[in-house]
Amino acid sequence: MSPDNPDPERPVDEPDQPAPPRTPDEKPSQVDPSAETAPSGSDPGQVPASAAYQSSLELRFDEPRRPLRAVATVLGAVLALAALGVPLGLLWAALAPDTPVLKTAEGAIYAEPQPEQPIAADGWFSLLGLAFGLIVALALWFVLRRRRGPVGLLAAVLGALVAAPVAWQVGRRIGLATFDRLLATAPAGQAFSKPADLRAGGVDWLLGVLPVPHGNLLLPAFGAAVMYTLLAGWSRWPGLRPEPEPGEFSWVSAGTPAPTAAPEPPAPDAAEPPRG
């Protein structure tokens, strides 16, 4: 191979043959697909828009999770929801009715044989707790949109599970000091009221260390799990997190092809191409 003869298999004196003209009845499918080339003026090193969009999605939404950041997110959400258990308990104490009791020599007894106030207190706590769990899941779905999935679900369920005992303890202590004082000092036969408390729920201690809620204290966590699962099932994005549309990437450009240069005039001794 030499500059004068790039192709060693072709004789030097063999003239270049023009490409055969394309007949009108020739179909585009008959063209050799290997002959397709990139559009004129395009940069060979430029990444297509579809590939750039896919790679940008992988960078933005498929990046590896950092375990410490996920744990910090869950702990922060649990602490915030535990603090929200205080206003939940105050609301429950305001809505749940007190139970009338009578002082006797043995202690306090119900003033009515079958009072409805304890049942109403359990009902109000169940309704408020279930609504609290639904609102918590809905709020965390939008606030922690970058953590949608197992991390968001865990934060919602644990936060609601911790907020329920906090609300119970705060609500039952409203007026409890007055009740204990009357129970200790009131004479027999005096009527007063007992603040709202739960009979269908409570906390058991596992091995004397780990608190385990039961009864209607589990309703907030149940509502949060159901709502978060429904939101995940109805999500329009497979990854649950918002994904931008292809048109939103203003920095992605398919590249404007440069105008093609005008063809050079044929040499005087060049063979005239056949006319069809």
PDB file of all heavy atoms in Angstrom, residues 200-204 212-218:
ATOM      1  N   ALA A 200     -59.342  -0.943  74.952  1.00  0.00           N
ATOM      2  CA  ALA A 200     -59.090  -1.870  73.838  1.00  0.00           C
ATOM      3  C   ALA A 200     -57.664  -1.769  73.312  1.00  0.00           C
ATOM      4  O   ALA A 200     -57.382  -2.222  72.207  1.00  0.00           O
ATOM      5  CB  ALA A 200     -60.066  -1.599  72.697  1.00  0.00           C
ATOM      6  N   GLY A 201     -56.790  -1.189  74.074  1.00  0.00           N
ATOM      7  CA  GLY A 201     -55.409  -1.066  73.623  1.00  0.00           C
ATOM      8  C   GLY A 201     -54.491  -0.782  74.789  1.00  0.00           C
ATOM      9  O   GLY A 201     -54.934  -0.390  75.879  1.00  0.00           O
ATOM     10  N   GLY A 202     -53.210  -0.968  74.567  1.00  0.00           N
ATOM     11  CA  GLY A 202     -52.230  -0.724  75.604  1.00  0.00           C
ATOM     12  C   GLY A 202     -50.845  -1.106  75.110  1.00  0.00           C
ATOM     13  O   GLY A 202     -50.623  -1.345  73.924  1.00  0.00           O
ATOM     14  N   VAL A 203     -49.918  -1.179  76.036  1.00  0.00           N
ATOM     15  CA  VAL A 203     -48.520  -1.498  75.722  1.00  0.00           C
ATOM     16  C   VAL A 203     -48.068  -2.602  76.655  1.00  0.00           C
ATOM     17  O   VAL A 203     -48.206  -2.489  77.880  1.00  0.00           O
ATOM     18  CB  VAL A 203     -47.612  -0.258  75.878  1.00  0.00           C
ATOM     19  CG1 VAL A 203     -46.152  -0.637  75.656  1.00  0.00           C
ATOM     20  CG2 VAL A 203     -48.026   0.829  74.896  1.00  0.00           C
ATOM     21  N   ASP A 204     -47.539  -3.684  76.075  1.00  0.00           N
ATOM     22  CA  ASP A 204     -46.911  -4.761  76.832  1.00  0.00           C
ATOM     23  C   ASP A 204     -45.393  -4.632  76.690  1.00  0.00           C
ATOM     24  O   ASP A 204     -44.890  -4.133  75.677  1.00  0.00           O
ATOM     25  CB  ASP A 204     -47.363  -6.128  76.320  1.00  0.00           C
ATOM     26  CG  ASP A 204     -48.846  -6.368  76.564  1.00  0.00           C
ATOM     27  OD1 ASP A 204     -49.383  -5.782  77.527  1.00  0.00           O
ATOM     28  OD2 ASP A 204     -49.461  -7.114  75.776  1.00  0.00           O
ATOM     29  N   VAL A 212     -44.269  -3.149  73.359  1.00  0.00           N
ATOM     30  CA  VAL A 212     -44.996  -3.723  72.224  1.00  0.00           C
ATOM     31  C   VAL A 212     -46.444  -3.232  72.303  1.00  0.00           C
ATOM     32  O   VAL A 212     -47.216  -3.695  73.140  1.00  0.00           O
ATOM     33  CB  VAL A 212     -44.949  -5.269  72.261  1.00  0.00           C
ATOM     34  CG1 VAL A 212     -45.721  -5.846  71.068  1.00  0.00           C
ATOM     35  CG2 VAL A 212     -43.514  -5.763  72.265  1.00  0.00           C
ATOM     36  N   PRO A 213     -46.841  -2.285  71.456  1.00  0.00           N
ATOM     37  CA  PRO A 213     -48.237  -1.820  71.471  1.00  0.00           C
ATOM     38  C   PRO A 213     -49.174  -2.906  70.945  1.00  0.00           C
ATOM     39  O   PRO A 213     -48.793  -3.766  70.144  1.00  0.00           O
ATOM     40  CB  PRO A 213     -48.220  -0.595  70.540  1.00  0.00           C
ATOM     41  CG  PRO A 213     -46.784  -0.245  70.351  1.00  0.00           C
ATOM     42  CD  PRO A 213     -46.018  -1.516  70.521  1.00  0.00           C
ATOM     43  N   HIS A 214     -50.410  -2.835  71.366  1.00  0.00           N
ATOM     44  CA  HIS A 214     -51.419  -3.779  70.889  1.00  0.00           C
ATOM     45  C   HIS A 214     -52.772  -3.075  70.895  1.00  0.00           C
ATOM     46  O   HIS A 214     -52.939  -1.975  71.428  1.00  0.00           O
ATOM     47  CB  HIS A 214     -51.451  -5.048  71.756  1.00  0.00           C
ATOM     48  CG  HIS A 214     -51.826  -4.798  73.176  1.00  0.00           C
ATOM     49  ND1 HIS A 214     -53.131  -4.731  73.616  1.00  0.00           N
ATOM     50  CD2 HIS A 214     -51.062  -4.573  74.274  1.00  0.00           C
ATOM     51  CE1 HIS A 214     -53.164  -4.492  74.916  1.00  0.00           C
ATOM     52  NE2 HIS A 214     -51.909  -4.397  75.342  1.00  0.00           N
ATOM     53  N   GLY A 215     -53.748  -3.729  70.318  1.00  0.00           N
ATOM     54  CA  GLY A 215     -55.099  -3.165  70.270  1.00  0.00           C
ATOM     55  C   GLY A 215     -55.195  -2.007  69.292  1.00  0.00           C
ATOM     56  O   GLY A 215     -54.563  -1.985  68.230  1.00  0.00           O
ATOM     57  N   ASN A 216     -56.012  -1.015  69.663  1.00  0.00           N
ATOM     58  CA  ASN A 216     -56.212   0.110  68.748  1.00  0.00           C
ATOM     59  C   ASN A 216     -55.020   1.058  68.688  1.00  0.00           C
ATOM     60  O   ASN A 216     -55.040   2.021  67.932  1.00  0.00           O
ATOM     61  CB  ASN A 216     -57.486   0.887  69.101  1.00  0.00           C
ATOM     62  CG  ASN A 216     -57.546   1.227  70.574  1.00  0.00           C
ATOM     63  OD1 ASN A 216     -56.577   1.016  71.313  1.00  0.00           O
ATOM     64  ND2 ASN A 216     -58.681   1.754  71.006  1.00  0.00           N
ATOM     65  N   LEU A 217     -53.956   0.789  69.457  1.00  0.00           N
ATOM     66  CA  LEU A 217     -52.727   1.554  69.286  1.00  0.00           C
ATOM     67  C   LEU A 217     -52.029   1.211  67.966  1.00  0.00           C
ATOM     68  O   LEU A 217     -51.137   1.949  67.523  1.00  0.00           O
ATOM     69  CB  LEU A 217     -51.765   1.304  70.441  1.00  0.00           C
ATOM     70  CG  LEU A 217     -52.142   1.903  71.800  1.00  0.00           C
ATOM     71  CD1 LEU A 217     -51.081   1.566  72.834  1.00  0.00           C
ATOM     72  CD2 LEU A 217     -52.318   3.405  71.700  1.00  0.00           C
ATOM     73  N   LEU A 218     -52.415   0.107  67.339  1.00  0.00           N
ATOM     74  CA  LEU A 218     -51.820  -0.289  66.069  1.00  0.00           C
ATOM     75  C   LEU A 218     -52.545   0.313  64.864  1.00  0.00           C
ATOM     76  O   LEU A 218     -52.060   0.181  63.737  1.00  0.00           O
ATOM     77  CB  LEU A 218     -51.829  -1.815  65.943  1.00  0.00           C
ATOM     78  CG  LEU A 218     -51.060  -2.597  67.017  1.00  0.00           C
ATOM     79  CD1 LEU A 218     -51.230  -4.086  66.794  1.00  0.00           C
ATOM     80  CD2 LEU A 218     -49.586  -2.219  66.994  1.00  0.00           C
TER      81      LEU A 218
END
